[in-house]
Amino acid sequence: MGLFEKKKPQTIEVSGHALVCPVCSGIYFWSREAQLNTSVASFFNLDWANKSATCFVCSECTHISWFLG
Ligand SMILES: [Zn+2]
């Protein structure tokens, strides 16, 4: 994952809960900000959202967890 190798993975907390990978139970993630494509946002009926999302990529298995806003 060359895109992510500059930063060290870190533990993530969401609404007071430590984020745990549902695939491998890993607790270290890389974080990325992503702009949602407008057509994708419309497809998911997310026009009310600010069209930006945060994704956390598991450092072990690269499973991606997405969070809006
Ligand atoms: Zn994982």
Side-chain angles (χ1 to χ4, degrees):
M1 298 294 284
L3 283 173
F4 303 107
E5 62 194 15
K6 284 176 184 170
K7 283 172 64 178
K8 286 192 169 184
Q10 55 194 346
T11 56
I12 304 296
E13 197 170 277
V14 180
S15 299
H17 300 277
L19 182 62
V20 179
C21 177
V23 177
C24 73
S25 298
I27 59 168
Y28 292 98
F29 298 83
W30 290 283
S31 60
R32 295 271 294 176
E33 284 281 327
Q35 288 298 120
L36 288 179
N37 180 289
T38 302
S39 62
V40 172
S42 296
F43 180 81
F44 288 109
N45 196 26
L46 297 175
D47 287 327
W48 48 267
N50 63 8
K51 296 185 176 62
S52 72
T54 303
C55 63
F56 299 113
V57 183
C58 176
S59 67
E60 292 294 325
C61 71
T62 71
H63 173 81
I64 300 175
S65 299
W66 286 88
F67 294 89
L68 289 172

